[in-house]
Amino acid sequence: MPTHSDSELMRLIRMKHREALELLYDRYAKLVYSFARRAAGNEALAREIVQLVFTRLWTTRAEYDAAKGSFVNWLLTITRNIAVDVMRRERRHAANVPMEWIEDSREAAESDHPESETVRRAELSEVAAAASRLTLPQRRVIELLYWKGYTLQQIAEMGGEPVGTVKNRLHQALKTLRRHLQGLREER
């Protein structure tokens, strides 16, 4: 198989010949890793991107077309797209505040600014009270989407449900939270 062109290897990969994927991996893993490392700036993320790229080659129905350009450019385009997706996911995760951080910041706030702690406690209490009004499936969607960074599609797949059901559950949860939090603020 070492004499096969990249196009032939991709054709064999479509037919699920594992050896073809292994050969393609041996040819291009270093290049893909180098590109991913530069894009991600992080070794762990670069390794994840490499894995995702070759998994995509194995699972995708997309065909490489030599008439449209070189295989290397096509492969690096796939790598770039996956790197962008991974970096967006990482930014979403960084933007989310983990529950542990809330506890840590609460403890720090108690010692640093006792006067603002009362306000923080009230706000956390309001959010907790509003969240208690949600059903378990609604809380799960909120947690997975906002705290863990999963997409609606991924959440639907995890629960074996249609995406529409998950979207509706999210909509209802946000409506419940909004209604409850507005009611609490109007009482003040």
Side-chain angles (χ1 to χ4, degrees), residues 101 103-118 120-121:
W101 183 85
E103 288 301 313
D104 293 345
S105 67
R106 184 179 61 77
E107 290 169 9
E110 286 175 357
S111 62
D112 294 344
H113 305 284
E115 64 280 350
S116 63
E117 176 54 23
T118 305
R120 280 195 193 106
R121 274 192 195 176

Side-chain angles (χ1 to χ4, degrees), residues 21 29 65 70 77 90 92 118 125 127 131 139-140 143 158 164:
L21 182 64
D65 184 358
S70 75
T77 298
E90 290 300 308
R92 266 197 325 266
T118 305
S125 177
V127 171
R139 275 184 272 188
R140 181 178 172 270
E143 181 180 335
M158 280 185 243

